[in-house]
C-alpha cells in the first residue's frame, strides 16, 4: 500500500524522521502544516508532478478543511493524521487494522480504538473466569478482575441526601461494592438507615465496617451483603448470625496477632458454619512495616490459595503525601501478586480523591498484563496523567529573538470585569464546570474555549489584554477540573 504524508516546511525534518521508509512525504511551500487547505494540497500535488497514485494521503491532524473533493479527484483516501508529527511512525503501524477518520485526528482515534479493544478483552476475561466466590453476582478471585470496595467514611452519620449522593458518586467512579463506615457513636438505627438508603440508589453489594457487635447484628438483620471485620473479639457472637444468614465475612487477625492469628480465626469461622470467608492479613502503612505486611499477604496466599484476599490500599495512600494514581497502580500490582481479590479504599482526604477510578483502571491493566504475561505497559489503557509516554519535539530558540516582558500596569476593560470559578461536580451533568460571572451575565461551560468564545460573542470582552488574561485564567480553571484541583482566580496553579 502506497502512503503519502502531507506536511509543511517547519515540520519537514520531524515528519521524515518519524516516517522513515514507511511512507512518502510531500512538503508544501508554507511554514505551518496545520494551515494546509484542500486547494493548496491539490496545487502542490500537481505542481510537483507526482505521477504515483497513493492509496492513502495523511494530512496533519489539526487541519480544518474538507478534503473529500480532493480525495475524489485523486482517487485516494485522505485522512487526518496525528496532531503531532512525532506520532506518525506509531500511526502508520496501524494501517490495515484501523479505519482512519476525516474528522478525528489519528492519534485520538487510535487511543480510543486501543482502549476499546483493551476493555473488551477485560470483559471477555471476566466472563470466562471461574471465581472463588460471588457476592450478588460480583466475582471474586479465580482470575477475575480485582474488585474495588469503596468506603464511605462515617456513612452512618451522614444525612440521607448526602449519603445518596456520595454512593452515586462512588458508583459513577467505578466502585464494584460500597462499604458503609460506622462512626463510633452510631446507633443500630443509623446502620439500618444507611443500608436501606444504599439499597435505594444502587444494586451493588453493600458492606458494613465496624467491630461493634450491636451494629453488626442490626446490619445482618437488615440484609447487608458483606461484614467487615471479624476476629476473636466478636466471632463467637456475630459468627453464628452471619452463618445462619449466609453473609460473607472478612476475617482479620487479632491485634498484633499476625498470620497465625488470622489462620486461627478463619478456622474458628469455618467451625461456626460461615461458608463465605474473605481474609484480610492487613496492609500496614509505609513506615509501619509495610514490607512485613506484604510478606504476610504472600505467605497467607501460599498457605490458603482458595480463600479470597482483602487488600486495604487506602491504608497506604491516605498516609502518603504523594499523588495517588502512581501509588494506587503500584499497590494494585503488588495486590495481584499476593492473590488479592478486593481492593479497599476510601476517598477520605483531598489528595486521594480519584482513588476509586485509579484502582479500577489499574485492576484492568493488571488483568490484561497477567493474561499476556507482561508488565502493565502498552495495553491501550494507562494511568499516565501528569507525565508523558512519548515526548513531543521541543522548539529551538532562533537568533534574533525578543525577550518577553510583562506590562507593569493593568487597565480595566471598559466592558467590565469577569469573576471565574469552578463547580467540580455538577448535579445535572455529573461533570465539572467553569463559571464566568460578569455583572450582566453568568456563563457556564465545560471547557475554557467555550466560555471565552461565549464571552467574546456576547461582547463582554473588549480589549486584547483582557482577552489574553481571561484565556490564561480559564485554561487554569479547566486544568484544575481535569486534575481535581481547587482553583482561585489570579493564584498560581
Amino acid at each position: 500500500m502506497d502512503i503519502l504524508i502531507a506536511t509543511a516546511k517547519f515540520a519537514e525534518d520531524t515528519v521524515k524522521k518519524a516516517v522513515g521508509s514507511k511512507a512518502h512525504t510531500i512538503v508544501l511551500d508554507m511554514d505551518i502544516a496545520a494551515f494546509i487547505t484542500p486547494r493548496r494540497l491539490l496545487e502542490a500535488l500537481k505542481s510537483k508532478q507526482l505521477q504515483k497514485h497513493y492509496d492513502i494521503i495523511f494530512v496533519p491532524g489539526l487541519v480544518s478543511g474538507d478534503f473529500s473533493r480532493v480525495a475524489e479527484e485523486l482517487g485516494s483516501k485522505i485522512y487526518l493524521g496525528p496532531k503531532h508529527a512525532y506520532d506518525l511512525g506509531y500511526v502508520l503501524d496501524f494501517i490495515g487494522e484501523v479505519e482512519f477518520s476525516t474528522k478525528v485526528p489519528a492519534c485520538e482515534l487510535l487511543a480510543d480504538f486501543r482502549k476499546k479493544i483493551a476493555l473488551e478483552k477485560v470483559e471477555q476475561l471476566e466472563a470466562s473466569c471461574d471465581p472463588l466466590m460471588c457476592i450478588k453476582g460480583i466475582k471474586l478471585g479465580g482470575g477475575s478482575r480485582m474488585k474495588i470496595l469503596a468506603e464511605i467514611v462515617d456513612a452512618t452519620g451522614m444525612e440521607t441526601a448526602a449519603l445518596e449522593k456520595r454512593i452515586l458518586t462512588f458508583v459513577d467512579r467505578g466502585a464494584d461494592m460500597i462499604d458503609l463506615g460506622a462512626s463510633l457513636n452510631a446507633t443500630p438505627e443509623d446502620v439500618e438507615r444507611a443500608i436501606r438508603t444504599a439499597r435505594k440508589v444502587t444494586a451493588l453489594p453493600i458492606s458494613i465496617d465496624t467491630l461493634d457487635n450491636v451494629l453488626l447484628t442490626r446490619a445482618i438483620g437488615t440484609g447487608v451483603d458483606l461484614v467487615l471485620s471479624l476476629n476473636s473479639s466478636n466471632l463467637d457472637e456475630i459468627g453464628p448470625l452471619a452463618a445462619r444468614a449466609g453473609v460473607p465475612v472478612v476475617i482479620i487477625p487479632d491485634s498484633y496477632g499476625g498470620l497465625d492469628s488470622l489462620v486461627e480465626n478463619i478456622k474458628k469461622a469455618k467451625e461456626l458454619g460461615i461458608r463465605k470467608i474473605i481474609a484480610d492479613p492487613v496492609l500496614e502503612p509505609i513506615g509501619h512495616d509495610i514490607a512485613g505486611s506484604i510478606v504476610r499477604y504472600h505467605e497467607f496466599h501460599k498457605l490458603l490459595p482458595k480463600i479470597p484476599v482483602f487488600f486495604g490500599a487506602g491504608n497506604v495512600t491516605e498516609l502518603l503525601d504523594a499523588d495517588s494514581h502512581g501509588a494506587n497502580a503500584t499497590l494494585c500490582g503488588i495486590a495481584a501478586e499476593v492473590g488479592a481479590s478486593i481492593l479497599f479504599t476510601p476517598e477520605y482526604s483531598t489528595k486521594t480523591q480519584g482513588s476509586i477510578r485509579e484502582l479500577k483502571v489499574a485492576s484492568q491493566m493488571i488483568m490484561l498484563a497477567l493474561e499476556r504475561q507482561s508488565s502493565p505497559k502498552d495495553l491501550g489503557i494507562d494511568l499516565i496523567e501528569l507525565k508523558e509516554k512519548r515526548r513531543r519535539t521541543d522548539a529551538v530558540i532562533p537568533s534574533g529573538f525578543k525577550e518577553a516582558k510583562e506590562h507593569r500596569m493593568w487597565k480595566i476593560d471598559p466592558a467590565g470585569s469577569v469573576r471565574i470559578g469552578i463547580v467540580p461536580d455538577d448535579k445535572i451533568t455529573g461533570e465539572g464546570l467553569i463559571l464566568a460571572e460578569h455583572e450582566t451575565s453568568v456563563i457556564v461551560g465545560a471547557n475554557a474555549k467555550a466560555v471565552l468564545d461565549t464571552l467574546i460573542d456576547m461582547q463582554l470582552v473588549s480589549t486584547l489584554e483582557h482577552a489574553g488574561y481571561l484565556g490564561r485564567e480559564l485554561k487554569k480553571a479547566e486544568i484544575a477540573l481535569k486534575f481535581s484541583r481547587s482553583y482561585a482566580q489570579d493564584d498560581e496553579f
Side-chain angles (χ1 to χ4, degrees):
M1 185 175 288
D2 291 314
I3 314 297
L4 180 67
I5 309 296
T7 189
K9 290 186 287 188
F10 281 175
E12 179 179 359
D13 291 342
T14 304
V15 168
K16 289 182 176 178
K17 183 178 179 181
V19 168
S21 60
K22 296 178 182 178
H24 300 274
T25 59
I26 180 172
V27 182
L28 277 67
D29 187 21
M30 56 192 302
D31 292 333
I32 308 299
F35 294 158
I36 292 175
T37 63
R39 179 182 61 80
R40 297 193 74 165
L41 175 62
L42 189 58
E43 289 175 352
L45 289 168
K46 289 180 178 179
S47 67
K48 293 182 182 291
Q49 297 181 336
L50 294 178
Q51 301 300 318
K52 191 176 184 67
H53 171 267
Y54 291 98
D55 300 292
I56 295 175
I57 300 174
F58 280 108
V59 295
L62 292 172
V63 302
S64 57
D66 180 357
F67 288 80
S68 59
R69 291 186 180 179
V70 178
E72 185 178 349
E73 183 171 340
L74 296 174
S76 303
K77 294 181 178 179
I78 299 181
Y79 297 125
L80 290 182
K83 292 180 177 180
H84 304 281
Y86 179 91
D87 289 326
L88 274 165
Y90 165 74
V91 166
L92 293 175
D93 289 338
F94 284 88
I95 289 177
E97 294 185 38
V98 177
E99 181 68 27
F100 290 96
S101 173
T102 59
K103 300 183 184 300
V104 181
C107 51
E108 295 179 4
L109 186 76
L110 284 179
D112 292 341
F113 171 76
R114 297 191 69 210
K115 183 176 182 180
K116 179 175 179 289
I117 296 299
L119 294 178
E120 286 176 351
K121 185 63 176 178
V122 167
E123 290 181 3
Q124 292 169 8
L125 293 171
E126 184 74 10
S128 63
C129 73
D130 185 16
L132 299 174
M133 180 190 300
C134 286
I135 301 179
K136 288 188 71 175
I138 300 295
K139 295 180 178 181
L140 301 179
S144 63
R145 177 182 57 77
M146 290 178 286
K147 301 307 188 296
I148 316 306
L149 176 56
E151 180 193 17
I152 300 177
V153 177
D154 191 23
T156 56
M158 297 175 68
E159 296 290 335
T160 298
L163 179 57
E164 288 179 350
K165 182 179 179 181
R166 192 68 169 160
I167 292 169
L168 291 172
T169 298
F170 279 11
V171 171
D172 185 62
R173 291 177 183 174
D176 298 295
M177 301 182 281
I178 300 295
D179 179 62
L180 303 173
S183 58
L184 294 176
N185 60 351
T187 66
E189 290 72 28
D190 293 332
V191 168
E192 181 172 345
R193 179 185 61 83
I195 294 172
R196 296 194 185 283
T197 298
R199 286 271 184 262
K200 285 197 307 182
V201 295
T202 182
L204 294 181
I206 305 299
S207 68
I208 187 71
D209 191 0
T210 179
L211 289 169
D212 188 304
N213 288 354
V214 175
L215 302 184
L216 287 171
T217 300
R218 179 62 68 90
I220 293 171
T222 308
V224 76
D225 302 304
L226 176 64
V227 170
L228 281 60
S229 301
L230 303 186
N231 60 14
S232 65
S233 69
N234 54 14
L235 261 171
D236 285 331
E237 183 172 345
I238 302 301
L241 297 177
R244 286 196 294 273
V247 179
V249 302
V250 175
I251 302 296
I252 60 174
D254 296 339
S255 297
Y256 310 107
L259 181 59
D260 291 342
S261 173
L262 176 60
V263 172
E264 185 62 31
N265 288 338
I266 289 173
K267 179 181 177 182
K268 186 172 186 179
K270 289 180 177 179
E271 292 172 350
L272 290 169
I274 299 175
R275 296 184 301 279
K276 290 188 174 183
I277 294 173
I278 299 165
D280 179 9
V282 182
L283 183 66
E284 302 292 354
I286 293 174
H288 297 271
D289 195 27
I290 183 175
S293 67
I294 291 172
V295 170
R296 184 165 61 245
Y297 269 91
H298 184 62
E299 291 177 346
F300 176 84
H301 184 56
K302 285 197 300 182
L303 184 66
L304 296 169
K306 297 298 183 182
I307 294 182
V309 172
F310 181 104
F311 192 86
N315 293 355
V316 175
T317 52
E318 288 288 348
L319 296 173
L320 175 66
D321 279 347
D323 291 330
S324 61
H325 50 280
N328 277 323
T330 302
L331 289 168
C332 192
I334 293 170
E337 293 196 6
V338 298
S341 300
I342 293 176
L343 301 172
F344 179 78
T345 187
E347 288 190 352
Y348 184 66
S349 63
T350 300
K351 68 189 176 190
T352 60
Q353 295 298 304
S355 285
I356 295 168
R357 183 194 67 83
E358 292 158 9
L359 285 171
K360 182 69 167 281
V361 173
S363 70
Q364 294 167 338
M365 291 170 61
I366 296 300
M367 190 180 201
L368 292 170
L370 290 174
E371 191 272 337
R372 71 178 199 179
Q373 298 182 327
S374 72
S375 296
K377 65 186 294 289
D378 300 326
L379 300 167
I381 51 177
D382 60 59
L383 278 171
I384 300 173
E385 297 185 4
L386 297 175
K387 296 190 176 182
E388 296 177 302
K389 189 173 177 68
R390 292 187 301 275
R391 188 173 181 84
R392 312 304 183 195
T393 304
D394 294 320
V396 177
I397 298 177
S399 59
F401 66 88
K402 182 177 178 60
E403 185 176 351
K405 295 182 179 180
E406 295 184 17
H407 285 162
R408 295 186 178 182
M409 299 297 293
W410 169 259
K411 297 180 181 178
I412 297 177
D413 189 337
S417 60
V418 178
R419 186 172 62 184
I420 301 168
I422 59 173
V423 181
D425 293 304
D426 177 62
K427 292 181 180 179
I428 299 174
T429 65
E431 298 178 353
L433 295 172
I434 301 171
L435 193 69
E437 298 180 84
H438 187 269
E439 59 184 11
T440 62
S441 303
V442 178
I443 293 94
V444 173
N447 60 72
K449 185 178 186 304
V451 175
L452 184 57
D453 286 350
T454 304
L455 287 167
I456 292 172
D457 288 344
M458 295 177 66
Q459 298 183 352
L460 301 179
V461 183
S462 66
T463 68
L464 291 175
E465 186 178 22
H466 195 204
Y469 164 80
L470 288 174
R472 295 192 301 273
E473 288 298 320
L474 289 167
K475 196 62 182 179
K476 280 163 54 181
E478 182 180 319
I479 294 171
L481 285 172
K482 179 177 176 62
F483 294 111
S484 299
R485 295 289 297 262
S486 55
Y487 168 81
Q489 192 166 350
D490 296 323
D491 273 4
E492 290 289 330
F493 179 73

